[in-house]
């Protein structure tokens, strides 16, 4: 089992920044590819970003490329999502997820490929 706890969400004006954190516990953090997803009211959960165990490979949704950056600190068992130039359409509950891909270069973008999920943190961007 892996437990994931997100933090860092909140209310921000358009153009502002937030940094989300996700602290993992329970199993070897290095064995997991980590991802961020989001879900807005009335919409399906969508992929935001993902990062391999070493941080050497990342993937981003087209809608956040150039604005969001995913990173991880394996010593702290934590993955981050730096969000800059936020837009009202970024408003959603953001979820951290872990996929047991081991020392793989792959970065899955489909929610069903992830094994564990956090409880989510709300991000609201006002116009």
């Amino acid at each position: 089992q892996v437990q994931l706890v997100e933090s860092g969400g909140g209310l921000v004006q358009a153009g502002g920044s937030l940094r989300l954190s996700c602290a993992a516990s329970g199993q070897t953090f290095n064995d997991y590819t980590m991802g961020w997803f989001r879900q807005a009211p009335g919409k399906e959960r969508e992929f935001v970003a993902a990062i391999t165990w070493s941080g050497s490979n990342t993937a981003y949704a087209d809608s956040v490329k150039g604005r969001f950056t995913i990173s991880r600190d394996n010593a702290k068992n934590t993955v981050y999502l730096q969000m800059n130039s936020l837009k009202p359409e970024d408003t959603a509950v953001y979820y951290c997820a872990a996929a047991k891909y081991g020392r793989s270069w792959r970065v899955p973008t489909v929610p069903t490929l992830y094994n564990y999920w956090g409880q989510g943190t709300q991000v609201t961007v006002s116009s």
Side-chain angles (χ1 to χ4, degrees):
Q1 283 280 17
V2 174
Q3 292 78 44
L4 302 172
V5 179
E6 301 100 333
S7 61
L11 174 64
V12 64
Q13 287 189 333
S17 298
L18 282 174
R19 188 175 84 153
L20 305 183
S21 299
C22 173
S25 62
Q27 292 194 9
T28 305
F29 188 60
N30 289 9
D31 285 343
Y32 289 84
T33 293
M34 301 299 295
W36 286 96
F37 291 77
R38 66 187 182 186
Q39 188 165 18
K43 295 189 176 181
E44 292 188 353
R45 191 166 297 190
E46 66 173 0
F47 171 75
V48 176
I51 188 168
T52 53
W53 71 277
S54 65
S56 62
N57 197 17
T58 58
Y60 295 92
D62 287 344
S63 59
V64 307
K65 277 181 184 176
R67 300 188 299 121
F68 291 11
T69 303
I70 189 171
S71 61
R72 65 189 293 164
D73 185 337
N74 288 343
K76 296 182 177 179
N77 289 357
T78 302
V79 62
Y80 305 97
L81 185 68
Q82 178 66 44
M83 304 186 296
N84 298 330
S85 301
L86 282 161
K87 305 175 181 179
E89 51 263 44
D90 294 319
T91 295
V93 177
Y94 282 71
Y95 297 91
C96 172
K100 195 165 186 179
Y101 272 44
R103 306 296 170 99
S104 171
W105 54 268
R106 292 177 294 170
V107 278
T109 62
V110 178
T112 53
L113 294 179
Y114 285 79
N115 307 100
Y116 301 101
W117 293 83
Q119 81 289 349
T121 185
Q122 177 70 47
V123 171
T124 302
V125 184
S126 63
S127 56

